[in-house]
Every structure is written in structure tokens, then in C-alpha cells.
Amino acid sequence: MSDSLVVCEVDPELREKLRKFRFRKETDNAAIIMKVDKDRQMVVLEEEFQNISPEELKMELPERQPRFVVYSYKYVHEDGRVSYPLCFIFSSPVGCKPEQQMMYAGSKNRLVQTAELTKVQPGAGLHSVREGWSGSWV
């Protein structure tokens, strides 16, 4: 992964929102969906969700446009421990315009660094958002 290519910066308001999201105390599943604002050349907040299942999240993502998602979910380990990991999802559906894919791909590393995410699933996309998907991430 090259850190040198940065197509879009992260909006300062989104930066703060991501910082607060990382340290949230709630125990429900939650998501932040982000998009690239082509005119401003920035990754911006599109929508926030509380108490959202992976299936519901999948339904919220556009079918033909890329999106970034940070998802917090409850995970119960085999030994009974409970954790609330944050996962980064890069949804880039088939049929996206090549320039959109380039803007998102070139902005991904900066967003991951800004959000200080540690659970980044390579190639994770819309097909990865389903019940039971998270066990291999923990």
C-alpha cells in the first residue's frame, strides 16, 4: 500500500466525527457512510446510522457508486468475551465510473490513517457486509 497517493483529503468535520465514533460508549451496531465530494476534493460524511445490522447497512449502500464505511459492531468471542471492533469497508460495486473508482482508491489510505483504523479487510465490499462476516476480522 502506497501512502504517497492522496487524491482527496478528509473533511475536518468528518475527522472529528470519526474520532468521537472511535471512542463511543454505546453497545449497539453503528455505521458512518462516507463519500467523495468531487468538487471539494474531500471525503465527507454522507450518513450516520445507529442500531443497524449488516444486512440493513448493505441496503443503504448505493448499487453503482463507491462508498467508504466505518462499522462498529458487537462481537461475542467463543470464550464469552464481548468486543466492539471498528471495521473499514470500501464498497466499490461493479459498474462504477473509472474516475470515481480512482478517486476513492486514491483516498482510501489517507482516510484509514485519519480514522486510525486497524481492522481493514482487503477487498472488502458490498458482498462482505452480511451477518457472520466479522468473525475473521477479530
Side-chain angles (χ1 to χ4, degrees):
M1 270 190 342
S2 172
D3 294 330
S4 61
L5 176 64
V6 177
V7 176
C8 297
E9 292 294 331
V10 179
D11 180 63
E13 290 178 17
L14 175 59
R15 239 178 244 251
E16 182 60 20
K17 178 80 64 183
L18 289 168
R19 188 189 68 74
K20 288 179 179 175
F21 193 76
R22 267 188 82 215
F23 297 107
R24 66 192 287 273
K25 301 291 184 208
E26 294 83 3
T27 58
D28 61 334
N29 295 353
I32 292 179
I33 298 178
M34 298 155 282
K35 66 179 182 179
V36 168
D37 181 331
K38 195 166 96 172
D39 297 332
R40 293 175 51 205
Q41 295 272 303
M42 284 200 162
V43 179
V44 298
L45 175 69
E46 182 174 54
E47 202 162 354
E48 260 187 290
F49 295 95
Q50 301 294 322
N51 197 25
I52 186 168
S53 72
E55 285 301 318
E56 291 168 328
L57 178 58
K58 182 179 175 181
M59 299 301 291
E60 293 295 333
L61 295 174
E63 289 182 23
R64 300 236 182 248
Q65 295 179 3
R67 288 296 184 267
F68 296 123
V69 179
V70 177
Y71 188 57
S72 172
Y73 61 94
K74 180 179 181 177
Y75 180 73
V76 180
H77 298 264
E78 289 180 10
D79 62 4
R81 291 177 297 121
V82 176
S83 61
Y84 299 91
L86 287 178
C87 290
F88 179 79
I89 301 165
F90 173 28
S91 173
S92 185
V94 174
C96 296
K97 295 178 183 176
E99 61 269 12
Q100 275 186 317
Q101 290 176 326
M102 296 277 293
M103 287 186 81
Y104 276 80
S107 304
K108 183 183 100 169
N109 290 344
R110 175 58 55 91
L111 179 57
V112 168
Q113 289 172 345
T114 298
E116 298 179 38
L117 298 169
T118 57
K119 305 277 187 215
V120 179
Q121 183 75 1
L126 203 55
H127 64 280
S128 299
V129 183
R130 64 185 189 287
E131 293 293 347
W133 63 304
S134 55
S136 64
W137 291 30
V138 181

